[in-house]
């Protein structure tokens, strides 16, 4: 299962090749999304890990042993409703029907149906969709 | 007896607060039970509106003179190039002009920023002349410290427009939105029965000088729009199939509202601008009564394949089908989505209706009607001059 995690490295992190080991030892497919690492400071890494649950569990244990905090994050789509002009361009790409027009031709966003495919982010000409990460 | 009204008579009623005004949707509803003759008798004015992306738009600005003065030749506003080929401190900023540093920001955003009262950085260069010695200038401008600031849009309010789909296996990023692969969706961009030029398809009442609602202010039709085509085939209701007539419009940006003018960025296409436009149509006789009663199911358009270079026509549909959320294309149910805001268009039609009912907006007769039988020429590639 694909999920996103934030890894927080302590400032005096070990010399362990962390991501390499995650791939090699635990057979996890990794996609690094964002990295903020400065020498001598605490660093963070936002990545996507794709592997069997059991491997993820082992990997999290391994990270813990190396004093690296690992928090799972969830992506959410945030719609800046106040600025919406209800053109409907975003509904063209939303196949899960999370975005639909109501009888008054106003956009409604049913977050429960959203599968975070992110297609609406590019489709809105006013750029009113943002991806938010939360725990 | 045949009903025959004049614009002057209708204006008299408007001034007295006695004019009967309906929106184009309301009159289409009324036509379910009333004949054109009855509508012509009862209704004086029908308000139409649209709110959609109209790339052929822009604004004239006069900056005022600096001391010492400059004859601006190269002009940038928030890094967006503006036209430098007018007199010393005049410019035209086109909506689609792109910033030199940020492709998602452009002329439309500069216009919107100014409209919202924000400061915009003006940079200009010149060669320097005896009468205009200054060679460079960098300062900020805003809506209060510039002189004239008016929209001049060479082509707005298309009378009908083809819907778009995509036969290829890749997503296409277009001004008609994101078209999903393999006929994954269909997008369309007309307000249907509310759309201005579809309610007076023969342009009997809309011409040069027509007073309109433009982005919250009073504006005027100044000319026929570019690519003005009156030779498109029509359906049995007299509606042209596809993009036909257009209008050029102008209005004072200092009176406009950012509610009805929005800068937009279409992914991998570029900048455009959403314009809110409304036109009142006087119901002078039975013919116009019939025209304004047009319903979505009577307005056809074509679906074009943007996946092929010449955008071939795949099918014909009407707006009731498009607005229903899906249409059948080659026997397959395909999702449809609007690109223009019907919600905002309705707001505009209502505002205009209210203004007319309360005597705050008078109708005009065109100073001159538009040319007839026009066509649009393609740009042919000629052999290069040797
Ligand atoms: S992320 Fe995908 S599913 Fe969610 S609202 Fe946007 S287009 Fe719809
Ligand atoms: S594309 Fe953007 S502006 Fe248009 S309806 Fe969707 S969220 Fe609103």
């Amino acid at each position: 299962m694909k999920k996103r995690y934030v890894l927080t490295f302590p400032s005096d992190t070990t010399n362990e090749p962390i991501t390499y080991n995650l791939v090699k030892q635990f057979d996890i497919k990794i996609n690094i999304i964002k990295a903020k690492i400065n020498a001598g400071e605490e660093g963070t890494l936002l990545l996507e890990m794709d592997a069997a649950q059991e491997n993820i569990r082992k990997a999290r244990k391994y990270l813990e042993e190396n004093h690296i905090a690992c928090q799972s994050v969830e992506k959410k789509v945030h719609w800046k409703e106040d600025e919406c002009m209800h053109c409907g361009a975003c509904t063209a790409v939303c196949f899960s029907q999370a975005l639909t027009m109501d009888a008054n031709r106003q956009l409604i966003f049913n977050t429960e149906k959203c599968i975070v495919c992110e297609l609406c982010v590019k489709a809105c000409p006013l750029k009113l969709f943002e991806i938010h990460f939360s725990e | 007896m045949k009903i025959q009204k004049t614009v002057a008579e209708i204006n008299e009623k408007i001034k007295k607060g006695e004019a009967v005004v309906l929106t184009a949707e309301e009159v289409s509803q009324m036509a379910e039970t009333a004949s054109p003759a009855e509508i012509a008798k009862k209704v004086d004015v029908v308000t139409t509106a649209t709110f959609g992306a109209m790339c052929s738009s822009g604004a004239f600005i006069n900056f005022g003179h600096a001391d010492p003065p400059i004859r601006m030749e190269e002009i940038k506003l928030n890094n967006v190039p503006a036209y430098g080929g007018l007199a010393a401190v005049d410019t035209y900023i086109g909506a689609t002009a792109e910033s030199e540093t940020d492709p998602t920001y452009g002329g439309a955003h500069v216009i919107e920023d100014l409209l919202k009262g924000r400061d915009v950085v003006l940079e200009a260069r010149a060669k320097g002349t005896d009468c205009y010695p200054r060679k460079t200038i960098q300062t900020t401008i805003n809506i209060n410290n510039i002189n004239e600031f008016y929209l001049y849009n060479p082509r707005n309010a298309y009378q009908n427009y083809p819907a778009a789909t995509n036969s290829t296996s890749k997503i296409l990023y277009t001004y008609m939105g994101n078209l999903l692969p393999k006929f994954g969706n269909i997008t369309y961009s007309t307000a249907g029965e509310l759309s201005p030029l579809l309610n007076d398809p023969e342009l009997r009442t809309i011409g040069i000088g027509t007073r309109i609602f433009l982005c919250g202010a009073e504006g005027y039709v100044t000319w026929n729009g570019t690519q003005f085509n009156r030779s498109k085939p029509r359906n049995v209701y007299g509606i042209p199939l596809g993009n036909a007539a257009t209008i050029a419009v102008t209005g004072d940006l200092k009176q406009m509202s950012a509610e009805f003018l929005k800068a937009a960025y279409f992914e991998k296409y570029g900048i455009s601008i959403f314009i809110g436009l409304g036109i009142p149509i006087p119901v002078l006789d039975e013919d116009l009564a019939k025209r304004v009663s047009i319903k979505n199911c009577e307005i056809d358009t074509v679906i074009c394949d943007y996946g092929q270079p010449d955008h071939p026509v795949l099918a014909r549909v009407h707006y009731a089908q498009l607005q229903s959320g899906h249409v059948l294309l080659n026997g397959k149910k395909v999702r449809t989505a609007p690109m223009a805001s019907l919600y905002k268009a309705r707001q505009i039609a209502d505002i205009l209706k209210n203004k007319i009912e309360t005597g705050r907006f008078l109708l005009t007769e065109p100073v001159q009607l538009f040319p007839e039988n026009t066509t649009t020429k393609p740009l042919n590639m000629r052999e290069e001059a040797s």
Side-chain angles (χ1 to χ4, degrees):
Chain A
M1 209 177 68
K2 222 190 266 181
K3 252 188 133 180
R4 292 194 174 191
Y5 299 87
V6 179
L7 307 192
T8 310
F9 296 76
S11 54
D12 57 344
T13 191
T14 61
N15 287 326
E16 285 267 314
I18 298 293
T19 45
Y20 177 80
N21 284 346
L22 289 175
V23 176
K24 278 279 163 189
Q25 293 185 18
F26 305 102
D27 192 24
I28 296 176
K29 273 192 217 130
I30 284 183
N31 178 17
I32 295 175
I33 294 152
K34 214 174 180 182
K36 212 176 84 192
I37 295 171
N38 290 319
E41 284 174 34
E42 196 181 80
T44 56
L45 194 61
L46 172 64
L47 46 73
E48 206 163 56
M49 295 206 276
D50 187 3
Q53 286 255 282
E54 181 57 17
N55 295 22
I56 297 272
R57 197 188 56 77
K58 284 189 193 148
R60 292 187 76 161
K61 187 140 181 276
Y62 159 78
L63 290 169
E64 205 179 303
E65 283 161 12
N66 284 280
H67 311 288
I68 296 161
C70 173
Q71 283 172 313
S72 76
V73 284
E74 253 188 76
K75 280 192 294 182
K76 264 200 187 134
V77 171
H78 173 72
W79 169 43
K80 291 192 238 167
E81 184 172 0
D82 292 350
E83 292 166 56
C84 180
M85 60 183 172
H86 308 285
C87 65
C90 54
T91 66
V93 296
C94 184
F95 263 71
S96 65
Q97 307 239 354
L99 297 165
T100 50
M101 306 304 283
D102 70 8
N104 291 321
R105 296 281 152 177
Q106 276 182 288
L107 184 72
I108 36 176
F109 182 23
N110 181 346
T111 49
E112 300 212 327
K113 285 191 177 171
C114 175
I115 55 163
V116 202
C117 70
E118 300 184 28
L119 282 175
C120 55
V121 176
K122 283 185 177 171
C124 175
L126 301 188
K127 295 281 157 277
L128 300 185
F129 295 102
E130 282 170 358
I131 304 297
H132 284 188
F133 295 96
S134 62
E135 229 188 288
Chain B
M1 210 186 73
K2 274 224 159 74
I3 297 286
Q4 196 74 52
K5 289 180 256 184
T6 66
V7 170
E9 284 163 12
I10 293 176
N11 275 340
E12 279 315 305
K13 280 178 136 184
I14 295 173
K15 282 184 211 157
K16 287 190 213 137
E18 288 169 3
V20 177
V21 190
L22 294 185
T23 71
E25 287 185 319
E26 288 166 347
V27 78
S28 300
Q29 191 74 39
M30 182 178 179
E32 302 275 348
T33 52
S35 69
E38 288 167 321
I39 290 171
K41 203 168 155 205
K42 280 188 201 147
V43 184
D44 298 308
V45 185
V46 166
T47 60
T48 66
T50 184
F51 186 91
M54 306 189 197
C55 288
S56 210
S57 299
F60 281 102
I61 305 174
N62 176 285
F63 300 116
H65 287 285
D67 184 20
I70 178 170
R71 180 174 173 269
M72 299 178 184
E73 287 160 15
E74 247 182 73
I75 305 169
K76 279 189 267 178
L77 293 166
N78 278 354
N79 266 328
V80 180
Y83 189 59
L86 296 169
V89 294
D90 281 341
T91 195
Y92 182 79
I93 177 129
T96 65
E98 204 169 283
S99 151
E100 286 170 356
T101 45
D102 173 5
T104 68
Y105 185 94
H109 297 86
V110 170
I111 295 168
E112 187 181 6
D113 279 346
L114 286 170
L115 181 57
K116 287 181 166 168
R118 295 180 183 146
D119 280 346
V120 163
V121 176
L122 162 66
E123 285 169 278
R125 286 152 49 91
K127 62 181 174 290
T129 68
D130 288 346
C131 41
Y132 293 101
R134 188 193 286 270
K135 289 183 175 161
T136 62
I137 195 164
Q138 174 158 17
T139 184
T140 59
I141 58 162
N142 62 43
I143 196 163
N144 298 314
N145 67 19
I146 51 182
N147 292 309
E148 290 74 14
F149 180 37
Y150 56 91
L151 267 190
Y152 188 93
N153 303 345
R155 182 171 71 250
N156 278 181
Y158 243 127
Q159 186 181 31
N160 216 347
Y161 208 81
T165 191
N166 169 18
S167 61
T168 70
S169 50
K170 279 199 322 231
I171 185 164
L172 293 180
Y173 297 95
T174 74
Y175 61 85
M176 289 296 287
N178 299 358
L179 301 173
L180 298 176
K182 301 223 180 321
F183 307 110
N185 57 8
I186 294 169
T187 58
Y188 64 96
S189 79
T190 300
E193 65 190 28
L194 198 53
S195 185
L197 304 194
L198 292 175
N199 279 280
D200 182 8
E202 295 299 331
L203 305 174
R204 287 184 52 205
T205 69
I206 303 169
I208 297 169
T210 301
R211 186 182 294 131
I212 62 171
F213 172 105
L214 187 60
C215 307
E218 275 183 22
Y220 293 88
V221 174
T222 47
W223 208 252
N224 58 270
T226 53
Q227 290 172 205
F228 185 79
N229 188 338
R230 295 193 78 172
S231 306
K232 287 265 159 150
R234 289 175 183 248
N235 73 5
V236 291
Y237 304 101
I239 295 290
L241 303 167
N243 37 351
T246 63
I247 47 176
V249 300
T250 191
D252 185 3
L253 268 154
K254 292 192 177 186
Q255 311 292 326
M256 290 182 188
S257 147
E259 270 298 297
F260 300 107
L261 181 154
K262 297 221 181 274
Y265 170 72
F266 287 100
E267 187 75 18
K268 295 196 177 106
Y269 168 77
I271 316 297
S272 187
I273 192 165
F274 277 74
I275 297 285
L277 196 151
I279 305 186
I281 296 174
V283 185
L284 302 176
D285 52 30
E286 253 179 68
D287 172 64
L288 277 165
K290 202 170 85 202
R291 303 294 190 173
V292 294
S293 303
I294 190 100
K295 291 194 276 289
N296 281 326
C297 61
E298 297 165 342
I299 306 170
D300 294 295
T301 191
V302 289
I303 301 176
C304 291
D305 179 9
Y306 276 50
Q308 295 183 59
D310 51 343
H311 298 185
V313 171
L314 302 180
R316 202 165 131 173
V317 278
H318 56 65
Y319 281 92
Q321 291 168 317
L322 287 169
Q323 290 187 4
S324 77
H326 54 83
V327 299
L328 280 181
L329 185 65
N330 301 327
K332 223 183 87 189
K333 198 166 151 181
V334 182
R335 217 173 134 78
T336 58
M339 295 296 299
S341 176
L342 192 52
Y343 173 75
K344 286 258 179 201
R346 283 177 177 160
Q347 265 186 347
I348 294 167
D350 281 337
I351 292 172
L352 192 52
K353 173 181 165 173
N354 181 268
K355 283 195 174 193
I356 298 168
E357 279 174 340
T358 52
R360 290 175 297 144
F361 192 108
L362 293 177
L363 308 194
T364 49
E365 229 170 310
V367 176
Q368 185 173 311
L369 291 172
F370 289 140
E372 288 179 34
N373 306 321
T374 59
T375 56
T376 306
K377 295 185 200 81
L379 176 61
N380 288 322
M381 301 301 284
R382 296 195 186 172
E383 262 172 57
E384 257 173 65
S386 53

